[in-house]
Amino acid sequence: MSNKRSNSFRQAILQGNRRLCSKALLEETGLSLSQRLIRHVAYETLPREIDRKWYYDSYTCCPPPWFMITITIVEASTSVAFFLYNGVVLDRFVLQVSHPLYLKNALLYHPQLRAQAWRYLTYIFMHAGIEHLGLNVVLQLLVGVPLEMVHGAARISFVYIAGVVAGSLAVSVADMTAPVVGSSGGVYALVSAHLANIVMNWSGMKCQFKLLRMAVALICMSFEFGRAVWLRFHPSAYPPCPHPSFMAHLGGVMVGITLGVIILRNYEQRLQDQTLWWIFLSIYVIFVLFAVFWNIFAYSLLDLKLPPPP
């Protein structure tokens, strides 16, 4: 147990703010709506009763879960604006993503423009359609906001951004001729980390209907991933411009079940003291460096036929 948590318990006892009794937090009655919400989040995300009690005592909603809310609003507004604009300009509201004019913007990742490093991150602000955007927004709000309430913006933003970068780099290595749009890399990193944490701590997780919740999350992820696979191999209306790749989903999952699990499992404890943290972080850095050199040298050595630049 960290000193921070020990001090918090001591202060709670000495100041008489609240008595930590032997009964489970779930059995306490007379709670307000906000207290019930905090308790619900604790049972959704934390496997140990001592962690849940400490979180319940110390959470003040200051700061609020600003990262997930902000990134979701920006992604949704940007994607809808581009979707409507291109729908009017192109007179096409379905499967715009292979149209040369749709590809001609400074946000999405395109293999011909891979030297513009910001595209490995900004592609999350473009989506393939309303259904693509809707599923990502729902998943990252339902999963990301409670996780940020418990683990803080720093840890959750790290997992999210690491998944986003790993997603675009995975595409540049494994699906070299395809563009990338959507925030699925970051979303899948968060969701897979959360689901893996539940599975690893199954007996300690006391959230209601946890099996049903896992099933719903897996169904949503499978539906969205299946849509991405179908879209990738669907014949393009504007050859040789291909549809976006689905490899970003797999890159996000790999980040979630490695770095994400370590971050979520070690609630309010120093990651610097965790051996597995350094092992998985080193693997991630090695992959990023490998992908960077791959992007510099492999495209010319393999003499690939890339789609024309937008």
Side-chain angles (χ1 to χ4, degrees), residues 23-247:
K23 69 177 181 179
L25 181 61
L26 193 60
E27 299 173 0
E28 297 190 8
T29 58
L31 303 180
S32 65
L33 181 62
S34 61
Q35 289 174 325
R36 290 199 298 269
L37 174 62
I38 295 171
R39 183 179 65 177
H40 174 76
V41 170
Y43 275 92
E44 284 290 313
T45 56
L46 295 172
R48 299 199 307 166
E49 186 67 19
I50 191 172
D51 287 334
R52 292 191 282 259
K53 287 184 175 181
W54 181 86
Y55 169 74
Y56 179 85
D57 283 326
S58 61
Y59 184 72
T60 61
C61 198
C62 184
W66 61 269
F67 174 77
M68 291 309 307
I69 294 175
T70 302
I71 197 71
T72 300
I73 292 174
V74 175
E75 288 174 5
S77 57
T78 306
S79 297
V80 171
F82 270 96
F83 181 74
L84 294 177
Y85 172 77
N86 285 291
V88 172
V89 172
L90 306 178
D91 193 24
R92 181 183 178 89
F93 285 91
V94 181
L95 295 183
Q96 304 173 353
V97 287
S98 62
H99 196 286
L101 292 181
Y102 181 88
L103 297 173
K104 194 173 183 178
N105 65 74
L107 296 178
L108 61 79
Y109 169 85
H110 192 281
Q112 287 281 19
L113 304 174
R114 63 189 182 278
Q116 299 175 358
W118 68 84
R119 293 178 180 268
Y120 291 90
L121 182 61
T122 58
Y123 74 92
I124 64 175
F125 301 113
M126 302 291 292
H127 283 77
I130 294 298
E131 77 289 347
H132 185 204
L133 173 65
L135 281 172
N136 282 342
V137 165
V138 169
L139 284 174
Q140 71 185 34
L141 285 179
L142 290 180
V143 177
V145 170
L147 289 179
E148 186 178 348
M149 290 174 64
V150 173
H151 297 278
R155 293 190 179 210
I156 297 305
S157 61
F158 177 82
V159 175
Y160 187 84
I161 294 174
V164 169
V165 175
S168 54
L169 290 177
V171 173
S172 70
V173 172
D175 196 4
M176 301 169 65
T177 62
V180 187
V181 294
S183 58
S184 298
V187 173
Y188 275 54
L190 291 178
V191 176
S192 60
H194 180 53
L195 294 182
N197 193 44
I198 292 177
V199 172
M200 292 172 62
N201 302 280
W202 186 260
S203 60
M205 301 299 292
K206 303 298 182 182
C207 52
Q208 292 182 325
F209 311 111
K210 57 184 177 183
L211 188 59
L212 177 62
R213 292 170 185 270
M214 284 191 61
V216 171
L218 290 174
I219 290 172
C220 291
M221 292 173 67
S222 300
F223 176 79
E224 206 277 327
F225 180 72
R227 182 210 59 82
V229 174
W230 171 84
L231 182 61
R232 175 65 181 92
F233 296 106
H234 184 78
S236 174
Y238 305 96
C241 299
H243 287 299
S245 176
F246 58 86
M247 290 301 299

Side-chain angles (χ1 to χ4, degrees), residues 288-306:
V288 171
L289 293 176
F290 166 78
V292 169
F293 283 102
W294 180 273
N295 277 269
I296 294 174
F297 300 108
Y299 279 79
S300 57
L301 292 176
L302 295 176
D303 194 25
L304 291 174
K305 185 178 180 180
L306 298 178

